[in-house]
């Protein structure tokens, strides 16, 4: 089976992530969205919440599955027999970080390949951090995250601000 992994923090998933998931799911038999748990990182949403939000927005993509891991990405890939990493690129500013990550993953897992998909222009300014900030200050999330999860993000951020 032709498989790929789309790894990330997804804290929370945005329309930018969803667009990559939709487009990548058409290129592979199976796309595994891997929710990474990094003990060094402070997430706003728990791993369970991040997974739940992704599930709510991807249930109609039949070949997309959501898993989480606290392992190195290449180890997760080996365990799940995946060779391809999909990453979304928004702008030149993403490139340096992604370039470094791709080379590190190649070193750690020589039989893996990182493939980059350029984000749609309308999502190119979107990030999980900016979505959280807009919600925290009471802004609307229309067009930034899928409609079905906007309210959960807004209410989480309201509680966070208190
Ligand atoms: O959405 P993000 O936070 O930009 O995603 C980054 C992520 C989770 C893809 C990256 O940090 C990652 O792959 N973490 C897992 C640990 C790992 O394998 N790191 C690569 C070597 S430094």
């Amino acid at each position: 089976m032709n498989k790929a992994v789309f790894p990330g923090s997804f804290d929370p998933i945005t329309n930018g992530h969803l667009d990559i998931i939709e487009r990548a799911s058409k290129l592979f038999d199976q796309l595994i969205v891997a929710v990474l748990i990094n003990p060094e990182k402070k997430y706003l949403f728990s791993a369970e919440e991040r997974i739940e939000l992704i599930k709510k927005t991807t249930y109609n993509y039949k070949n997309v599955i959501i898993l989480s891991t606290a392992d190195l990405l290449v180890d997760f890939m080996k365990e799940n027999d995946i060779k391809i990493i999909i990453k979304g690129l928004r702008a030149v500013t993403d490139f340096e970080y992604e370039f470094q990550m791709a080379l590190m993953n190649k070193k750690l897992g020589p039989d893996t390949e990182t493939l980059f998909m350029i984000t749609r222009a309308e999502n190119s300014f979107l990030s999980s951090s900016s979505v959280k900030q807009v919600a925290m200050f009471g802004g609307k999330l229309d067009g930034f995250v899928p409609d079905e999860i906007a309210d959960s993000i807004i209410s989480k951020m309201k509680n966070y601000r208190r």
Side-chain angles (χ1 to χ4, degrees), residues 7-11 17 34-38 41 43 69-75 87 97-98 101 104-105 108 128:
S9 300
F10 305 106
D11 188 38
H17 295 127
V35 177
L36 268 298
I37 302 163
N38 178 348
K41 248 184 165 173
Y43 303 103
T69 178
D71 293 338
L72 271 180
L73 182 61
V74 292
D75 290 341
K87 286 296 195 85
Y97 171 72
E98 292 298 346
M101 195 68 77
M104 180 61 96
N105 283 327
L108 294 169
S128 297

Side-chain angles (χ1 to χ4, degrees), residues 21-69:
I21 292 172
E22 183 182 354
R23 286 158 58 202
S25 71
K26 292 180 184 150
L27 303 175
F28 298 92
D29 297 328
Q30 190 173 65
L31 180 72
I32 293 97
V33 178
V35 177
L36 268 298
I37 302 163
N38 178 348
E40 271 187 344
K41 248 184 165 173
K42 212 174 167 306
Y43 303 103
L44 184 82
F45 293 87
S46 68
E48 292 71 26
E49 288 172 324
R50 288 182 279 146
I51 291 168
E52 199 47 42
L53 293 175
I54 302 171
K55 280 191 176 159
K56 274 192 186 156
T57 56
T58 59
Y59 64 91
N60 51 339
Y61 304 123
K62 299 298 172 222
N63 64 337
V64 172
I65 61 169
I66 297 100
L67 298 174
S68 69
T69 178

Side-chain angles (χ1 to χ4, degrees), residues 76-94:
F76 171 83
M77 291 173 72
K78 211 175 280 172
E79 266 166 43
N80 290 281
D81 192 28
I82 307 167
K83 301 273 191 295
I84 309 285
I85 305 167
I86 298 292
K87 286 296 195 85
L89 263 192
R90 285 169 299 193
V92 190
T93 42
D94 279 345

Side-chain angles (χ1 to χ4, degrees), residues 140-158:
K140 292 207 171 100
L141 297 183
D142 302 357
F144 302 160
V145 302
D147 290 344
E148 56 269 47
I149 63 166
D151 286 347
S152 341
I153 296 171
I154 286 169
S155 65
K156 177 92 181 179
M157 292 312 297
K158 264 190 198 150

